[in-house]
Amino acid sequence: MVKVRQDAWSHEDDLLLAETVLRHIREGSTQLNAFDEVGDKLNRTSAACGFRWNAEVRTKYESAIDLAKRQRKEKKRAMGTAMKRTRVPAIPLSTVYDAEETEEENTSMMVLEQPSINLDMVIQFLRELKKDYHASNQSKSALESTEKDNAMLKAKVEELEKQLSSTENQLVSIQEDYQTFIQIMDRARKMTVLDDKGSHASPAFRMDKNGNLEQLAQGSN
């Protein structure tokens, strides 16, 4: 099955990677085997897991790595002590060869456990970086468009608020004029008198400088 790139590494993914690598170190295995195991679980490539370990996760578990290595040495020492206790006086030649092969395997294992970045890991990282770059550009364009829309809406709201304030002021002025007009009409109505025949007189009025109506005497200009 072809492994496809997943989303960004989560905290749980990093924790799984760290626990798996530390377990392989304690058991005397290699980090490459740990990367393969994590890759199968997370559907990622071994190179991607190795790059993540060396670039991000490893620095957070330096003390844990040292502890795992000491536990591995203690385990080997205990196994060696047990072998010495059960060793027969006559040592076959094959045992010497086995010990030499074991020492070579241990040396090779220690070399493999050293942090390393190969070409495949770099290529995989660059591919993922390219995808992240394109995604980031798209997000940036969308953000800029949203910010422009927000600025336009904000300017429109400010303009509408100004119009509303102006309309409210005009309404207050109209209401004041209307009240003044009602008062003038009420005064004029009260100052209207009936003549002896019951017909309405048509008094003349004039407005003083304070805006009050004054009835002119009949026959006056």
Side-chain angles (χ1 to χ4, degrees), residues 174-192:
I174 292 173
Q175 289 177 343
E176 292 177 351
D177 293 342
Y178 176 74
Q179 292 296 330
T180 302
F181 175 75
I182 293 298
Q183 293 175 2
I184 293 173
M185 293 301 296
D186 186 60
R187 292 174 183 172
R189 181 181 59 80
K190 291 179 179 180
M191 296 174 66
T192 302

Side-chain angles (χ1 to χ4, degrees), residues 131-145:
K131 294 180 180 179
D132 293 339
Y133 174 76
H134 290 307
S136 177
N137 284 342
Q138 293 177 356
S139 300
K140 183 178 180 180
S141 299
L143 179 60
E144 291 177 351
S145 177

